[in-house]
Amino acid sequence: MILVLSNNYSHIKEKLSEAGLKVTHQRIVIMDSILRLDNHPTVEQIFDLIRDANPSLSLGTVYKTVETFVNNGLLSKVSTNEGQMRYDPKLHNHGHIYCGNTSEIIDYYDEELNDMILNFFKKKKVNNLKIKNITLQINGDKIDPEKDILIK
Amino acid sequence: MILVLSNNYSHIKEKLSEAGLKVTHQRIVIMDSILRLDNHPTVEQIFDLIRDANPSLSLGTVYKTVETFVNNGLLSKVSTNEGQMRYDPKLHNHGHIYCGNTSEIIDYYDEELNDMILNFFKKKKVNNLKIKNITLQINGDKIDPEKDILIK
DNA sequence: CTATTTGCAAATAATTTGCAGCTGG
DNA sequence: CCAGCTGCAAATTATTTGCAAATAG
């Protein structure tokens, strides 16, 4: 029986190659940190997570790299009212919950709601616009900031 | 028959007073320009529109003023992927169409869709979150950048 | 080998701050 | 009058740029 060990970062390397990007250590580490951080990190948060283990990696490289990732469809850019861009590795059509009091951004996706909205826009047309995607933005405040938000 | 002339800026002055803000020339001119510009201006666009007629009014004051307006519920803040905040004088629950190729932000509101979404969130609950509002973000590109977007 | 990518430092852009002087209520 | 505004300049923050050295393919 042959056991194929899941090679470190193999999934990320593959994604980079598929996108036609050179597979560099910096890119792997940056993508990995975004996936691990999960909640839509800022450039600063990415840099803070990886700088100790990669002392020569510079902040400028993080800026350039996330921009490259966005341009090649590996990340999407999420703007906030706090003046810093954040980066989202989930590429399927999904919405976000913005917590005003904790600055968290939480993914929101509901199949039923999504279908409802897509059906609606099959009927109602917006002329002279090529729609790329439609997302829902839910603004609110966490009631208990210590606890998580639970989508039922 | 008594004809009451619509006093200049009277509506804006009223809004400011109601919000408990002092009615200053700067605030009137800034709010007026936002209403006139209509399409979710940046601070720079506001400033450009009013600077000639108000040479002593400074850019810093525009920044402070729009922030005051947001904090007092007279404007809402709209973030973009272009690194500049934009300001929206329409306060009722409505969505935005973001044109990637022209950087325009166009209001979108449909009663039926709005009801549909609100009803949905009466059933599905998001625990530990006090929802303030739910808006739709429609991303796309204008097909003919010269022409307007027409919502049918 | 060579087109890309990276690191670094300097530049730019957007926004905020501090504070003295002005002004609306 | 005086708390709240404004103007101005300097400070801060986020991001971009330019370029020489490094490196993936």
Side-chain angles (χ1 to χ4, degrees):
Chain A
M1 181 188 169
I2 298 168
L3 186 67
V4 178
L5 292 171
S6 115
N7 189 345
N8 247 349
Y9 303 127
S10 60
H11 181 249
I12 294 174
K13 289 178 184 171
E14 210 172 288
K15 284 268 180 199
L16 290 171
S17 289
E18 275 171 27
L21 297 174
K22 288 190 176 176
V23 178
T24 67
H25 177 68
Q26 292 86 334
R27 285 175 173 170
I28 293 168
V29 174
I30 289 169
M31 180 56 87
D32 178 59
S33 73
I34 295 170
L35 294 168
R36 274 166 44 218
L37 280 166
D38 202 18
N39 248 288
H40 315 90
T42 62
V43 164
E44 213 58 49
Q45 290 172 323
I46 296 166
F47 187 60
D48 284 349
L49 183 62
I50 62 185
R51 66 187 311 172
D52 286 352
N54 306 272
S56 77
L57 198 157
S58 78
L59 182 62
T61 296
V62 182
Y63 273 103
K64 283 174 183 160
T65 302
V66 291
E67 206 49 36
T68 302
F69 286 172
V70 170
N71 293 335
N72 287 275
L74 301 180
L75 288 181
S76 76
K77 212 175 188 174
V78 182
S79 63
T80 69
N81 280 7
E82 277 124 66
Q84 283 164 66
M85 292 299 167
R86 297 174 60 163
Y87 296 87
D88 190 344
K90 291 173 212 73
L91 296 165
H92 78 261
N93 202 45
H94 68 283
H96 287 132
I97 300 172
Y98 291 78
C99 282
N101 53 346
T102 66
S103 294
E104 276 169 288
I105 298 178
I106 295 143
D107 292 318
Y108 184 85
Y109 179 76
D110 182 279
E111 188 90 39
E112 186 194 338
L113 179 60
N114 193 52
D115 290 349
M116 222 161 74
I117 293 171
L118 291 182
N119 281 330
F120 178 86
F121 280 100
K122 272 178 194 149
K123 291 179 299 171
K124 294 260 172 175
K125 271 284 164 198
V126 181
N127 265 10
N128 195 27
L129 181 74
K130 169 99 190 110
I131 295 178
K132 285 188 294 197
N133 66 68
I134 299 171
T135 64
L136 209 60
Q137 181 171 334
I138 302 168
N139 288 99
D141 287 313
K142 257 194 178 178
I143 296 163
D144 180 349
E146 304 304 314
K147 289 185 187 154
D148 280 348
I149 282 177
L150 188 65
I151 298 162
K152 298 214 283 195
Chain B
M1 182 187 170
I2 297 168
L3 186 67
V4 179
L5 291 172
S6 117
N7 189 347
N8 247 349
Y9 303 127
S10 60
H11 182 249
I12 294 174
K13 289 178 185 171
E14 210 173 287
K15 284 270 180 198
L16 291 171
S17 289
E18 275 170 28
L21 298 174
K22 287 193 175 172
V23 178
T24 67
H25 177 68
Q26 291 87 333
R27 284 174 174 173
I28 293 168
V29 174
I30 290 169
M31 180 56 87
D32 179 59
S33 72
I34 296 169
L35 293 168
R36 274 167 43 218
L37 281 166
D38 202 16
N39 249 289
H40 315 89
T42 62
V43 164
E44 213 57 48
Q45 290 172 324
I46 296 166
F47 188 58
D48 284 349
L49 183 62
I50 62 186
R51 65 187 311 172
D52 287 351
N54 306 273
S56 77
L57 198 158
S58 77
L59 182 62
T61 297
V62 182
Y63 273 103
K64 283 173 184 161
T65 302
V66 292
E67 206 50 37
T68 302
F69 286 171
V70 169
N71 293 334
N72 288 276
L74 300 180
L75 288 181
S76 76
K77 211 175 188 173
V78 182
S79 63
T80 70
N81 279 8
E82 277 122 65
Q84 284 164 64
M85 292 297 168
R86 297 176 60 165
Y87 296 88
D88 189 344
K90 292 175 211 71
L91 296 164
H92 72 102
N93 203 45
H94 68 282
H96 287 132
I97 299 172
Y98 291 78
C99 281
N101 52 347
T102 65
S103 294
E104 277 168 288
I105 299 178
I106 295 143
D107 292 318
Y108 184 84
Y109 179 76
D110 182 280
E111 188 90 37
E112 187 194 336
L113 179 60
N114 194 52
D115 289 350
M116 222 162 76
I117 293 171
L118 291 182
N119 280 330
F120 178 87
F121 281 100
K122 273 178 192 147
K123 293 178 299 171
K124 294 261 173 171
K125 271 284 165 198
V126 181
N127 265 11
N128 195 28
L129 181 74
K130 168 101 192 106
I131 295 179
K132 284 187 294 196
N133 66 68
I134 299 172
T135 64
L136 209 60
Q137 183 171 332
I138 302 168
N139 288 99
D141 287 313
K142 257 194 179 177
I143 296 163
D144 181 349
E146 305 305 314
K147 289 184 188 154
D148 281 348
I149 283 177
L150 188 66
I151 298 162
K152 297 212 286 196

